[in-house]
Amino acid sequence: MMYILRRIILLITTILLVSIITFGVFQILPGDPVRTMLGTEADSTQIENLRSELGLDRPLYEQYVDWMKGLLTGQLGDSIRFSMPVKELLFDRLPVTMSLAGLTLIIVLIISLPLGMFAARRQNKLSDVSLSTVTQIGMAVPSFWLGMMLILYIGLQFSFFKISGYIPWTQSVTGALSTLILPALTIAIPQIAVNFRYVRTAILEQVQLDYVRTIRSKGMSEQNVMYKHVLKNSMIPILTVFGLIMAEVVAGTIIVEQVFSLPGIGQLLITAISNRDFPLVQGIVMYITVAVVMINFIVDVLYSVLDPRIRLR
């Protein structure tokens, strides 16, 4: 219980520190959101009146306290560019990004885990060397270039795949998959390469230990040895890397949504930055922060489930 409590305290502290940094950075960035809202033709009286209405003429600590109160209650202010609550914009775009991230993680897991185990069992053989070479290349491929290649050689060649836009799941499951598969593969391929190598290394470290030789000497099948014992004892390092991959996937959606014109959080962030829409940018940054911190928290909790000794330490 104390282990979980410490993790929760760390989670809250991290979010608080990021909120302070986020709020502070946007106070020193060039550009005036009031002038952006009113345009270049506004006079000083209009500017001062709107600044007072938005509370921007108050001390910074009061603005920060009000912003944090809004953050805790879900009231993130209004977007300058779209003239509507930030919360509504996030909720409108969130299903797209969450669907993309979820599909990406499923692809990474179902491909990298079996491949890593297969390569470990075939250590130094042709199949192992080939897979290791291919994944080394996969780790070096930029996602935006990979996305364009998938559009060119798959999206434009097969009518099933859509290279832009998004079809909601409620409208058509097949349509949603057709719009998400290529973007998901764009993010997933480099992460498959990373996870493959860590799975392979973790499995190889375990199979060299004495307990594996003992289990094999008792006549247990190789499949049971790998799945019931070796994989289970390899999960701590694999889970660590997968947690990092989940955070990378959340961040990777920002670029890929631009490439495939997906109306998600990433595209919304680029639009907000381009228009100096500070309330919207702050809201999106905090969303990304909370998502990454929660992923790390879940991984920490799973550590304690997989290995109870971690709770004692």
Side-chain angles (χ1 to χ4, degrees), residues 50 113 154 187-188 211 217 253:
L50 183 57
L113 194 58
I154 297 180
I187 305 173
Y211 82 91
S217 68
T253 57

Side-chain angles (χ1 to χ4, degrees), residues 14-167:
T14 303
I15 293 177
L16 182 61
L17 289 175
V18 172
S19 71
I20 294 172
I21 294 171
T22 302
F23 182 83
V25 165
F26 284 103
Q27 299 304 314
I28 61 176
L29 284 178
D32 187 347
V34 173
R35 291 186 179 275
T36 302
M37 295 174 69
L38 294 177
T40 56
E41 302 298 324
D43 56 38
S44 58
T45 303
Q46 291 175 314
I47 292 173
E48 291 303 320
N49 289 339
L50 183 57
R51 192 181 300 277
S52 176
E53 181 181 336
L54 296 175
L56 298 178
D57 56 344
R58 293 182 299 162
L60 287 180
Y61 72 89
E62 290 186 8
Q63 294 183 44
Y64 172 74
V65 170
D66 285 345
W67 182 64
M68 281 301 296
K69 288 179 181 177
L71 190 66
L72 294 173
T73 58
Q75 303 301 321
L76 301 174
D78 293 332
S79 165
I80 296 172
R81 168 69 175 79
F82 297 97
S83 300
M84 60 185 298
V86 171
K87 180 176 68 173
E88 291 184 14
L89 287 169
L90 290 177
F91 284 168
D92 185 51
R93 304 294 185 99
L94 196 56
V96 181
T97 299
M98 294 299 291
S99 298
L100 176 58
L103 183 59
T104 301
L105 291 173
I106 291 172
I107 293 173
V108 171
L109 189 61
I110 64 176
I111 294 179
S112 63
L113 194 58
L115 280 183
M117 295 181 66
F118 173 77
R121 294 173 64 179
R122 307 278 296 176
Q123 185 182 12
N124 296 329
K125 295 183 179 180
L126 179 60
S127 54
D128 176 36
V129 174
S130 301
L131 284 171
S132 297
T133 303
V134 171
T135 53
Q136 188 68 38
I137 297 172
M139 292 171 62
V141 175
S143 59
F144 67 88
W145 181 85
L146 180 59
M148 290 187 289
M149 292 301 102
L150 290 177
I151 290 173
L152 184 61
Y153 292 106
I154 297 180
L156 296 178
Q157 306 301 324
F158 301 94
S159 59
F160 172 78
F161 299 102
K162 302 296 187 295
I163 61 175
S164 65
Y166 173 72
I167 299 175

